[in-house]
Amino acid sequence: MGGGREATFETRCKLFHDLPEATGQMRRSQQVTAKLMAALDKILSDNNLEYWFGYGSLLDAYTRGGYIPWDDDVDICMHRDDFDKLLELLGNNSKYRITTVYDSYVLCIQYRFCLRDENVPSFIDIGVWDYATEYTLEKDKRLQEIRVELMDELSDMLNNGELPYWKHQMLFFQPGCGKIVSEQCLHPEDEDEDKANTEGQKILNVFNKYIQKAIDEEILLPTSASDKAKSYAYSLDNLLMPGRQMLFPKGMIHPTIRLPYENLTVECPNDSKAFLDTCYSDWPLIPDDDSLLARRHFDKAILDRPEVKEAIEKFLNS
């Protein structure tokens, strides 16, 4: 029986491995993101900061050592304390930065590594993870419930007028971190730095409140107690994927392993197969023909802008 399951798994991997490579603008944008990932990997490695590939990007690396044809970004995971150190490191970096985006479409905070040149649309999504106590199904379920409670409070604040700027703009960048051409406020003509600062702090306070609640309920651990961690937690900051596991046994992820990805190697979970099976119980999932090469993170028309084309070529040739 075990051999049958393994054969099925090998078949799934082969299906992804044998997919054709993206072409044209899609492939060009993938190359930009891969080069960004190479730069980020070096920064993290040079400063002893840990990360690992997750979700679709792990699927890419594990099955084919590079992008599947319809993917257009990279998803990595970082411990909160390492991410905070990265923020500090990049504060005065002349080439790279991290944007912080408050997103009321899905009630989350997004962190993205990108170039300071705002005309380059590509980025690395950074999912922040917290240290946690021992993994159990009950704790995982409770952490998901806390995330829903957090979203309910933010929704109430939006509906009762406590966050008028966020409701109007839907998403806004933290002032000072710069923008990305592929993501813009709903009403850019009404951008207001003071309102963004004020409401950004209010939003952060709500997230911190529920992170503390999870710590008080002995699900999460403060970063100062990282040595006591028995599992890692997909943070409350991140997009909620209903029903998807949020707590992962430490041994599934740590120590990380290196797997090939495009023209480099990247850090991946120690048991990448188990991580993928946990995240995608029914993988492989292949898009239908109409959506196969559709851009998922930004409008393809952005890539046709002369200033965007020029910025992309400049970065790739640097």
Side-chain angles (χ1 to χ4, degrees):
M1 183 178 293
R5 284 198 299 269
E6 186 61 31
T8 300
F9 178 74
E10 290 176 355
T11 300
R12 290 186 291 173
C13 288
K14 188 174 188 305
L15 187 152
F16 274 88
H17 181 272
D18 292 346
L19 287 168
E21 192 174 81
T23 58
Q25 291 176 324
M26 170 65 85
R27 182 57 185 159
R28 205 65 172 152
S29 65
Q30 289 177 346
Q31 291 169 337
V32 173
T33 313
K35 187 169 181 177
L36 273 174
M37 187 62 233
L40 180 56
D41 177 80
K42 185 175 189 313
I43 291 170
L44 295 175
S45 177
D46 288 349
N47 291 279
N48 297 313
L49 302 179
E50 187 173 49
Y51 79 91
W52 61 95
F53 261 36
Y55 307 103
S57 295
L58 178 60
L59 185 65
D60 296 354
Y62 192 77
T63 61
R64 58 190 278 127
Y67 275 107
I68 49 180
W70 59 87
D71 210 355
D72 63 359
D73 74 338
V74 167
D75 295 296
I76 71 166
C77 311
M78 290 188 69
H79 296 300
R80 188 177 297 277
D81 51 352
D82 282 345
F83 176 69
D84 288 343
K85 292 173 185 174
L86 177 62
L87 277 174
E88 185 177 351
L89 279 169
L90 294 179
N92 296 315
N93 191 288
S94 62
K95 190 170 184 178
Y96 304 105
R97 60 192 165 100
I98 289 177
T99 64
T100 299
V101 183
Y102 301 96
D103 187 341
S104 65
Y105 290 100
V106 289
L107 300 172
C108 75
I109 305 175
Q110 300 175 13
Y111 305 106
R112 287 167 173 170
F113 175 83
C114 55
L115 286 166
R116 290 204 176 270
D117 185 340
E118 295 183 3
N119 282 316
V120 177
S122 301
F123 52 79
I124 310 294
D125 261 321
I126 302 178
V128 175
W129 285 55
D130 289 304
Y131 300 103
T133 56
E134 187 173 5
Y135 165 80
T136 67
L137 288 174
E138 292 76 14
K139 288 186 176 183
D140 184 75
K141 180 181 178 182
R142 178 58 187 142
L143 190 61
Q144 293 184 47
E145 290 172 349
I146 291 173
R147 181 64 172 92
V148 173
E149 292 171 14
L150 184 160
M151 294 172 72
D152 287 344
E153 179 164 339
L154 287 175
S155 293
D156 288 344
M157 293 173 72
L158 284 165
N159 292 331
N160 67 22
E162 291 184 63
L163 296 169
Y165 185 69
W166 204 23
K167 187 170 185 177
H168 179 61
Q169 290 290 17
M170 298 301 289
L171 67 80
F172 65 85
F173 289 87
Q174 178 179 300
C177 71
K179 302 176 184 178
I180 306 174
V181 67
S182 54
E183 291 191 329
Q184 298 294 332
C185 294
L186 189 60
H187 304 285
E189 71 280 3
D190 295 332
E191 288 182 78
D192 188 304
E193 186 171 312
D194 290 338
K195 291 178 180 178
N197 274 321
T198 299
E199 293 198 13
Q201 189 56 58
K202 285 184 179 180
I203 296 164
L204 282 174
N205 289 344
V206 174
F207 278 93
N208 290 335
K209 169 185 171 181
Y210 284 92
I211 289 171
Q212 187 59 51
K213 183 172 186 176
I215 292 173
D216 293 342
E217 293 189 22
E218 299 184 346
I219 301 171
L220 301 183
L221 291 166
T223 55
S224 59
S226 61
D227 59 322
K228 297 178 181 178
K230 295 183 179 179
S231 62
Y232 296 152
Y234 178 77
S235 172
L236 300 179
D237 305 37
N238 302 314
L239 169 68
L240 176 67
M241 303 295 289
R244 181 180 283 181
Q245 187 170 317
M246 292 181 71
L247 284 176
F248 292 75
K250 181 178 178 180
M252 185 185 292
I253 296 170
H254 190 269
T256 55
I257 59 172
R258 301 285 290 191
L259 292 178
Y261 185 76
E262 295 292 329
N263 61 345
L264 65 150
T265 62
V266 295
E267 300 290 345
C268 294
N270 182 271
D271 190 344
S272 291
K273 177 182 180 299
F275 193 100
L276 286 171
D277 285 342
T278 298
C279 299
Y280 302 114
S281 59
D282 60 349
W283 75 280
L285 178 62
I286 307 295
D288 59 39
D289 291 341
D290 291 336
S291 67
L292 184 62
L293 295 179
R295 293 208 62 81
R296 297 187 303 118
H297 289 90
F298 52 88
D299 190 332
K300 178 179 176 293
I302 291 172
L303 296 174
D304 292 325
R305 297 180 186 176
E307 68 273 18
V308 171
K309 287 183 176 180
E310 181 181 351
I312 286 174
E313 292 306 314
K314 180 180 179 181
F315 176 59
L316 287 176
N317 294 322
S318 63

